[in-house]
Amino acid sequence: MMDENNGNIRFLSAISYLGIFFVIGHFAVEKDNPDLRFHTFQGGVLFCGFTMLYLSDFLLYLLLAFAPALQSIVTILLTVAISVAYLILAVMGIMSAIKFEQRQLPFFVGELAVMLRDKIDNQSRTRK
Protein backbone atom coordinates (compact mmCIF):
# COMPACT_ATOMS: atom_id res chain seq x y z
CA MET A 1 0.00 0.00 0.00
CA MET A 2 1.33 3.40 -0.97
CA ASP A 3 1.40 6.12 1.67
CA GLU A 4 0.58 9.77 0.97
CA ASN A 5 4.25 10.80 0.64
CA ASN A 6 4.86 8.21 -2.11
CA GLY A 7 1.74 9.41 -3.89
CA ASN A 8 3.00 13.00 -3.81
CA ILE A 9 6.41 11.97 -5.11
CA ARG A 10 4.85 9.90 -7.87
CA PHE A 11 2.54 12.76 -8.89
CA LEU A 12 5.28 15.42 -8.79
CA SER A 13 7.64 13.14 -10.71
CA ALA A 14 5.04 12.50 -13.40
CA ILE A 15 4.11 16.16 -13.93
CA SER A 16 7.81 17.04 -14.25
CA TYR A 17 7.55 15.94 -17.88
CA LEU A 18 4.67 18.29 -18.69
CA GLY A 19 6.36 21.46 -19.83
CA ILE A 20 7.34 24.02 -17.22
CA PHE A 21 5.75 21.97 -14.40
CA PHE A 22 9.16 20.44 -13.62
CA VAL A 23 9.75 23.58 -11.52
CA ILE A 24 7.11 22.47 -9.00
CA GLY A 25 9.22 19.46 -8.01
CA HIS A 26 12.22 21.69 -7.30
CA PHE A 27 10.24 23.65 -4.70
CA ALA A 28 8.18 20.80 -3.21
CA VAL A 29 8.59 19.63 0.38
CA GLU A 30 9.90 16.31 -0.96
CA LYS A 31 12.47 18.02 -3.22
CA ASP A 32 15.38 16.04 -1.69
CA ASN A 33 13.86 12.67 -2.60
CA PRO A 34 16.22 10.95 -5.09
CA ASP A 35 13.37 9.77 -7.35
CA LEU A 36 11.79 13.21 -7.50
CA ARG A 37 15.15 14.89 -8.12
CA PHE A 38 15.90 12.49 -10.97
CA HIS A 39 12.59 13.15 -12.71
CA THR A 40 12.56 16.92 -12.16
CA PHE A 41 16.05 17.27 -13.62
CA GLN A 42 15.15 15.05 -16.55
CA GLY A 43 11.90 16.96 -17.11
CA GLY A 44 13.81 20.24 -16.96
CA VAL A 45 16.35 19.12 -19.54
CA LEU A 46 13.54 17.82 -21.75
CA PHE A 47 11.68 21.13 -21.52
CA CYS A 48 14.75 23.31 -22.13
CA GLY A 49 16.02 21.15 -24.98
CA PHE A 50 12.74 21.12 -26.82
CA THR A 51 12.18 24.81 -26.19
CA MET A 52 15.48 25.42 -27.99
CA LEU A 53 14.34 23.15 -30.84
CA TYR A 54 11.07 25.08 -31.18
CA LEU A 55 12.99 28.37 -31.20
CA SER A 56 15.29 27.00 -33.90
CA ASP A 57 12.22 25.98 -35.88
CA PHE A 58 10.88 29.52 -35.58
CA LEU A 59 14.20 31.01 -36.71
CA LEU A 60 14.16 28.69 -39.72
CA TYR A 61 10.64 29.91 -40.46
CA LEU A 62 11.92 33.49 -40.46
CA LEU A 63 14.94 32.62 -42.61
CA LEU A 64 12.74 30.96 -45.23
CA ALA A 65 10.51 34.04 -45.63
CA PHE A 66 11.81 34.49 -49.18
CA ALA A 67 10.15 31.20 -50.26
CA PRO A 68 6.66 30.97 -48.72
CA ALA A 69 5.85 27.51 -50.10
CA LEU A 70 9.12 26.04 -48.85
CA GLN A 71 8.69 27.92 -45.59
CA SER A 72 5.32 26.31 -44.91
CA ILE A 73 6.31 22.78 -45.86
CA VAL A 74 9.62 22.70 -43.99
CA THR A 75 8.40 24.35 -40.80
CA ILE A 76 5.20 22.31 -40.59
CA LEU A 77 7.09 19.06 -41.02
CA LEU A 78 9.77 20.11 -38.53
CA THR A 79 7.20 21.30 -35.98
CA VAL A 80 5.30 18.01 -36.23
CA ALA A 81 8.53 16.01 -35.86
CA ILE A 82 9.62 18.01 -32.81
CA SER A 83 6.16 17.70 -31.24
CA VAL A 84 5.96 13.94 -31.79
CA ALA A 85 9.46 13.44 -30.35
CA TYR A 86 8.57 15.55 -27.30
CA LEU A 87 5.34 13.65 -26.77
CA ILE A 88 7.08 10.26 -27.00
CA LEU A 89 9.83 11.25 -24.56
CA ALA A 90 7.34 12.84 -22.14
CA VAL A 91 5.19 9.70 -22.11
CA MET A 92 8.29 7.55 -21.54
CA GLY A 93 9.27 9.78 -18.61
CA ILE A 94 5.77 9.77 -17.11
CA MET A 95 5.56 5.98 -17.33
CA SER A 96 8.95 5.69 -15.64
CA ALA A 97 7.87 8.10 -12.88
CA ILE A 98 4.61 6.23 -12.26
CA LYS A 99 6.52 2.95 -11.87
CA PHE A 100 9.08 4.58 -9.51
CA GLU A 101 11.88 3.77 -11.98
CA GLN A 102 14.85 6.00 -12.70
CA ARG A 103 15.12 5.15 -16.39
CA GLN A 104 17.12 7.65 -18.42
CA LEU A 105 15.42 9.04 -21.49
CA PRO A 106 17.20 8.48 -24.80
CA PHE A 107 19.20 10.98 -26.84
CA PHE A 108 20.75 13.82 -24.88
CA VAL A 109 18.05 14.08 -22.20
CA GLY A 110 18.90 11.38 -19.66
CA GLU A 111 22.66 11.74 -19.75
CA LEU A 112 22.57 15.53 -19.59
CA ALA A 113 20.09 15.49 -16.69
CA VAL A 114 22.30 13.13 -14.66
CA MET A 115 25.42 15.18 -15.44
CA LEU A 116 23.67 18.40 -14.42
CA ARG A 117 22.28 16.92 -11.21
CA ASP A 118 25.68 15.47 -10.24
CA LYS A 119 27.44 18.76 -10.95
CA ILE A 120 24.97 20.69 -8.80
CA ASP A 121 25.27 18.10 -6.02
CA ASN A 122 29.08 18.33 -6.11
CA GLN A 123 28.97 22.13 -5.97
CA SER A 124 26.60 22.11 -3.01
CA ARG A 125 28.84 19.60 -1.15
CA THR A 126 31.92 21.76 -1.64
CA ARG A 127 30.11 24.81 -0.25
CA LYS A 128 29.20 23.04 2.98
Side-chain angles (χ1 to χ4, degrees):
M1 180 129 184
M2 181 174 48
D3 64 358
E4 183 176 330
N5 192 33
N6 283 344
N8 288 343
I9 292 168
R10 183 177 286 179
F11 174 74
L12 291 170
S13 295
I15 67 167
S16 293
Y17 296 98
L18 301 176
I20 193 74
F21 291 135
F22 73 91
V23 173
I24 296 171
H26 284 292
F27 295 109
V29 174
E30 302 91 347
K31 67 183 176 197
D32 294 326
N33 178 281
D35 287 322
L36 180 58
R37 282 179 52 78
F38 176 82
H39 292 292
T40 55
F41 271 89
Q42 202 162 242
V45 169
L46 183 70
F47 174 75
C48 292
F50 277 88
T51 298
M52 290 184 341
L53 286 173
Y54 281 118
L55 286 174
S56 299
D57 183 33
F58 179 69
L59 288 175
L60 183 62
Y61 175 80
L62 295 176
L63 289 173
L64 293 175
F66 66 89
L70 182 64
Q71 179 187 41
S72 297
I73 293 169
V74 169
T75 55
I76 287 173
L77 290 175
L78 192 55
T79 302
V80 169
I82 293 170
S83 299
V84 168
Y86 182 81
L87 183 64
I88 289 170
L89 291 175
V91 168
M92 288 172 66
I94 292 169
M95 296 303 294
S96 175
I98 289 172
K99 295 177 184 176
F100 276 118
E101 296 175 350
Q102 290 189 12
R103 182 173 298 154
Q104 287 186 10
L105 292 177
F107 307 116
F108 64 91
V109 179
E111 292 175 20
L112 187 58
V114 169
M115 270 186 354
L116 181 63
R117 183 192 62 195
D118 291 345
K119 184 172 182 167
I120 290 173
D121 288 347
N122 289 335
Q123 286 177 350
S124 66
R125 278 190 217 117
T126 57
R127 288 184 188 147
K128 289 183 181 179

